[in-house]
Amino acid sequence: MNELFLLIKSLKHSEKRYFTLSASTMVVSKKNNYYKLFEVLDALKEYDEESILLKHRKEAFVKNYAANKAYLYDMVLASLRNYQEDSIEEWAIRRNFYKIKILASKGLDMACEKLIIKTKEKAWQYEQYQTLLDILDVELYLFGNCRIGDMNKDLFWNLKAEKDKVIKILSDYNNVHSAWHQINLLFSNKLNEPFEEVQKQAERVITSLQLLQEPSESYSLTLRNRYLACFELFYNSVGNAQKCYEYNKKLIENRQLIDERMPNIAVDAMAVYFNFMVACYKYEKWDEMEQYLLKTQQYPIHSVEQEIRRTHNYCYNGILLYLHTKQYEKAQQVVDEFVKAKENFENRYRIDFLLFTEAHCGWYYFLQQNFDKANTLWREILQGPKYNVETRTQATTRLYLLILYYTQQDTILLESELTNTKRFLKQHFLLEKNEKLFIEAFSKLNNTKADEEIFETLSLQIKDSDAIITEKSVLNRFIIQWIDEK
């Protein structure tokens, strides 16, 4: 898809208005030409170059169309840069650093020193440590060349201590960030190592992190955020629901402090809300999960990209919450919003979120005994393109289908799907103890009174498993609940 089109569609309303106001200062003689191209692309739902060239063949922008697109692309990026500098503090801090460099190069040392003091205060507030380091280098250069500070030794040691602190925080952040990536890579398990070995390697990383100690709120909120995220990721991956919830709770509290201390920050809180809701689901904290689901639904939106992420997060967690708590009217509202979102966002809906939410919308229809609708959704997931994401969701969908075929007493499809499911689980290294027990039990079912004993045995075998709803199992609460009720 065309990069200019995607850039324009990503703009929030205020950014479009800013572009409209500022573009005329960039290009005067040709502004109508570029404005028209911008408006044409903004009005489209999908990019179709052939259709654009045909429909607007009399417009000036069609001549040298490739060059006009490239120039408009640069115009939009320049407008965004200026907009970010005017509205987001991190950008304004960096802009002030360049002003400091200019003032220093012009020998305007008093003005430069005033701006250094003002900018450092903001940089500490917003924890812009790399920019702080750059500013301190300029400040120390001016001091060392007798241009500021009057060779006051106390000032020198204060500046040195300040720089040492910044370097220490940056070093700590580098170590913590590296640890987060290591844990993430280990549990992605591209090498398909045994889970026990992966867990041992991740535990060694966590142990090294513990030696750093948990950063305090006064030391660095952004460092603390990444540190806590390492433990959240680890405990989520090993299936410790309590610890995962506790660290996500800390992350939520830390994010609240970030919002209080750093207004106008560039990154929103929706990802933190999402992870907290998943942790609440796993630890059965339903009231807190609904509280943050409503916060997500009401989150202020400033761009299409934000709207898509909000919808992702709301539908993903909403269907889980309301199905588990048996609030089926609310579950229907989530399903309806998901259907509209798929249509509105089309190919922009993230495929992993789409697969997960669609699979559980199917479970909603199954519970409502709308078996045809459930079957349609699940077959779409399994008969569509071969997705290399959310393989656990695809595996769970196959278990859902086994349950559906058993419920419909379709022994032929049940037998066929048992073979397909076992093959899929093996192929993706998901055929663990619980999955083997499930498949073995379903291969014995024959829709007679004897099935009750099979289900009872299966329930006892998997009920206390610590692998349920973790990275180690594709069985989930809905499946277990259904087995218990049989």
Side-chain angles (χ1 to χ4, degrees), residues 44 98 156 171 216 279 344 416 424 486:
L44 295 176
Y98 293 122
F156 167 72
S171 176
S216 67
N344 291 340
S416 173
F424 183 89
K486 300 306 288 183

Side-chain angles (χ1 to χ4, degrees), residues 181-190 195 198-203 206 230 233-239 392 471:
H181 279 295
Q182 289 177 62
I183 296 167
N184 198 30
L185 286 168
L186 282 168
F187 284 113
S188 70
N189 201 10
K190 296 294 185 184
F195 185 83
V198 170
Q199 184 170 336
K200 284 180 184 177
Q201 293 179 53
E203 283 172 351
I206 284 292
C230 290
L233 177 60
F234 173 78
Y235 287 119
N236 179 58
S237 300
V238 300
R392 282 183 174 78
E471 297 300 308

